[in-house]
Amino acid sequence: MNLPDANVLCEQLATLIRPQLRPDTALVGIHSGGVWVAERLHQLLDISEPLGSIDVSFYRDDYGSRGLHPHPQKSGIPFDVSERHIILVDDVLYTGRTTRAALNELFDYGRPACVDLAVLVDRGERQLPIGPTWCAWHLPERLPAGSKLDLKRDVAGNLSLEVKSA
Amino acid sequence: MLNPQLTKDGRLRHLLTLDGLPKAILTEILDIAAPFTEVAEREVKKLPLLRGKSVFNVFFENSTRTRTTFEIAAKRLSADVINLNVSTSSTSKGETLLDTVDNLCAMGADMFVMRHASSGAPYLLAQHLRNTGRDHISVVNAGDGRHAHPTQGLLDMYTIRHYKQDFTRLTVAIVGDVLHSRVARSEIAALTTLGVPEVRVIAPKTLLPTDVERMGVRVFHNMEEGLKGVDVVMMLRLQNERMSGALLPSSGEYFKFYGLTEEKLALAAKDAIVLHPGPMNRGVEIDSAVADGDHAVILPQVTFGIAVRMAVMSMLAAGN
């Protein structure tokens, strides 16, 4: 499968979001790929509010069976989320479970006025009633079970998509 | 031999001692603890990791700080916490430890946090759980006799890493009543495993175990000599309640030779940090000017202790 240029997808995603920005909009990226995309969007959309980040390791629903991630990152939201327009940002939307966990974590910081979801890629195969507000690319076909679609970032900061087989 | 603290696939099953715990697990606990420190800054200071689990704090020996921080840690992880002060309860009516435990298992315990005056009591409990097919219940040793106090050792390691980053360039001195101290044993085990090149113990002969050198430490009886150039000073409490016989002339005499004063601390590295597991005996092992001074990291230790206990409990819940 030919995968599009993730850097271009970021620009397309910014174009989709721009008309719906509000004065109180703030971005929150989901570790780790979502934070990279959020950093890019933050720059492209020229948002003054600092960027927030969430690591959903402590909110996952499969931690009892898969264990804890050995290197969880600190979540950090350097602004009051209450009564604010929050855009959650992730690299790949798949089952929806990560988004569910991120929403739960976000609400432990306060009660946002509304939350939107921006993703670079929608992989489909949802297991929860969750959909993106904005998506730069829909995967045209299902990937084999067990394979992973990941966002990578090189030392120069360039983003790329990668499929890993099971 | 299989480490009774680990599952077959190397995950943490119980936390009984830091002695023999692999470096990878020690580091993993410290890494996982780091993001837990941030939870205290949120509007909702809770994470769902232990939701639906029952944690029994079973303290056969008095404790305020340790029991409270375990309780806070478990509650921040959304567990149901049941505190039992067993020293004033069934055992005084004649019930054995394992009978008490069996009753608590029947009440649906998922995890025991246990303190006991007898060294090895948490091992006995872990062994009993395995022998009775209740291996899914975890045990955390919150201090057993003179043997170990692993979460105190871990929170000390977290504190040191927080301020000093790299263990492999440090000289660390442990000062005081090593003989009666389970904290000292856990600290020495962890410091050695994490690669600290020089661990010193500073104490009078009467307050050192006879085989202390075998633990891989340098022994000093003179505090001024022992503190020279150290990066970390770990003070121990003078354990009056564990003293049997006349090991010391008086607490005043002890302070003169082994109390940490600003003058003695000046011999350590300029940026040395001072730790104390609490409760402090001011004017006995530590002078107030040091305890409240710029080098002391004693209160951050308490805060980090919650995060470290959260890490241990969530790893145990995930491992089982």
Side-chain angles (χ1 to χ4, degrees):
Chain A
M1 185 191 304
N2 281 332
L3 296 170
D5 182 334
N7 303 292
V8 174
L9 289 180
C10 283
E11 286 169 23
Q12 291 170 350
L13 190 57
T15 307
L16 292 171
I17 297 170
R18 192 170 287 113
Q20 292 179 62
L21 284 180
R22 299 177 7 179
D24 64 338
T25 298
L27 300 182
V28 176
I30 302 173
H31 272 290
S32 50
V35 174
W36 301 336
V37 177
E39 283 170 358
R40 201 61 79 78
L41 292 175
H42 193 253
Q43 206 173 16
L44 290 166
L45 295 169
D46 198 21
I47 293 173
S48 56
E49 200 65 62
L51 190 67
S53 66
I54 274 180
D55 183 318
V56 299
S57 298
F58 300 145
Y59 287 78
R60 293 193 65 88
D61 55 15
D62 57 357
Y63 117 99
S65 54
R66 284 176 40 172
L68 272 180
H69 190 288
H71 305 290
Q73 301 294 311
K74 272 187 188 171
S75 294
I77 302 188
F79 48 81
D80 185 3
V81 303
S82 297
E83 300 309 317
R84 190 184 281 280
H85 174 219
I86 302 290
I87 302 178
L88 267 182
V89 183
D90 208 355
D91 50 354
V92 179
L93 177 59
Y94 180 29
T95 61
R97 288 175 189 269
T98 300
T99 312
R100 196 279 310 166
L103 281 168
N104 280 19
E105 179 158 4
L106 182 66
F107 275 71
D108 282 352
Y109 284 87
R111 182 182 181 275
C114 61
V115 183
D116 281 305
L117 176 63
V119 298
L120 217 53
V121 182
D122 184 351
R123 183 178 162 175
E125 300 178 64
R126 214 81 75 234
Q127 294 169 358
L128 294 172
I130 282 170
T133 317
W134 306 285
C135 167
W137 187 57
H138 291 269
L139 202 72
E141 58 192 85
R142 282 174 84 119
L143 290 173
S147 56
K148 292 180 78 178
L149 175 59
D150 287 334
L151 187 69
K152 300 277 162 204
R153 184 165 75 168
D154 65 20
V155 281
N158 288 310
L159 300 177
S160 59
L161 289 165
E162 184 184 84
V163 173
K164 277 190 200 153
S165 310
Chain B
M1 198 184 91
L2 203 64
N3 190 329
Q5 303 191 94
L6 303 179
T7 61
K8 274 182 198 156
D9 54 355
R11 292 206 256 174
L12 202 61
R13 181 194 296 281
H14 305 293
L15 181 69
L16 306 175
T17 176
L18 300 185
D19 208 359
L21 206 61
K23 184 179 179 185
I25 295 273
L26 282 179
T27 309
E28 190 179 339
I29 296 171
L30 303 185
D31 287 346
I32 288 177
F36 284 128
T37 57
E38 172 267 335
V39 176
E41 293 155 27
R42 299 183 187 189
E43 186 174 306
V44 179
K45 295 175 185 55
K46 268 198 194 292
L47 296 171
L49 290 170
L50 261 65
R51 205 157 61 95
K53 306 274 187 198
S54 297
V55 175
F56 280 64
N57 279 335
V58 192
F59 280 66
F60 292 86
E61 205 183 53
N62 288 332
S63 158
T64 308
R65 188 181 335 245
T66 304
R67 193 190 54 71
T68 308
T69 48
F70 265 113
E71 183 175 351
I72 294 169
K75 284 182 170 170
R76 289 215 176 133
L77 293 170
S78 308
D80 294 317
V81 184
I82 297 93
N83 290 313
L84 288 111
N85 191 357
V86 195
S87 58
T88 57
S89 167
S90 302
T91 39
S92 57
K93 296 175 189 163
E95 189 173 66
T96 69
L97 167 64
L98 297 182
D99 279 336
T100 302
V101 163
D102 285 342
N103 276 276
L104 300 178
C105 287
M107 294 177 202
D110 294 293
M111 192 179 296
F112 288 109
V113 176
M114 185 193 202
R115 169 168 289 191
H116 204 286
S118 301
S119 302
Y123 281 87
L124 181 71
L125 172 51
Q127 197 178 34
H128 176 67
L129 291 171
R130 189 172 62 241
N131 293 344
T132 51
R134 291 177 289 195
D135 238 358
H136 59 283
I137 303 175
S138 309
V139 180
V140 184
N141 181 2
D144 62 328
R146 295 182 185 186
H147 172 244
H149 192 350
T151 56
Q152 179 69 45
L154 285 167
L155 78 88
D156 292 341
M157 296 310 114
Y158 187 93
T159 308
I160 294 172
R161 195 174 77 163
H162 178 83
Y163 290 101
K164 298 289 176 192
Q165 285 84 45
D166 186 2
F167 286 103
T168 63
R169 293 158 185 251
L170 296 178
T171 303
V172 178
I174 300 171
V175 187
D177 183 4
V178 178
L179 178 65
H180 299 96
S181 176
R182 53 195 174 207
V183 175
R185 281 169 184 73
S186 290
E187 284 168 348
I188 292 168
L191 289 166
T192 312
T193 306
L194 291 168
V196 172
E198 185 168 339
V199 182
R200 303 176 182 177
V201 293
I202 305 172
K205 274 183 187 161
T206 48
L207 293 182
L208 283 173
T210 46
D211 59 345
V212 66
E213 271 114 346
R214 284 173 55 196
M215 296 164 88
V217 296
R218 272 185 78 187
V219 178
F220 291 82
H221 301 303
N222 180 304
M223 193 166 179
E224 281 80 2
E225 274 177 36
L227 284 180
K228 266 181 204 157
V230 300
D231 304 291
V232 179
V233 186
M234 307 179 84
M235 298 305 297
L236 299 171
R237 186 171 63 90
L238 199 61
Q239 308 225 6
N240 287 321
E241 73 273 26
R242 291 187 212 288
M243 295 281 184
S244 49
L247 297 175
L248 290 171
S250 72
S251 59
E253 188 85 348
Y254 181 81
F255 181 70
K256 190 176 157 197
F257 289 103
Y258 294 101
L260 186 62
T261 58
E262 283 184 314
E263 294 74 40
K264 287 182 195 145
L265 183 58
L267 299 166
K270 268 185 187 163
D271 59 349
I273 53 170
V274 176
L275 290 81
H276 192 298
M280 280 188 287
N281 294 313
R282 289 170 185 261
V284 178
E285 71 260 359
I286 190 164
D287 191 32
S288 279
V290 176
D292 304 326
D294 294 338
H295 295 270
V297 294
I298 297 165
L299 291 177
Q301 277 179 274
V302 179
T303 308
F304 295 149
I306 296 171
V308 164
R309 288 173 177 126
M310 287 171 79
V312 168
M313 287 198 264
S314 51
M315 284 171 71
L316 290 172
N320 288 340

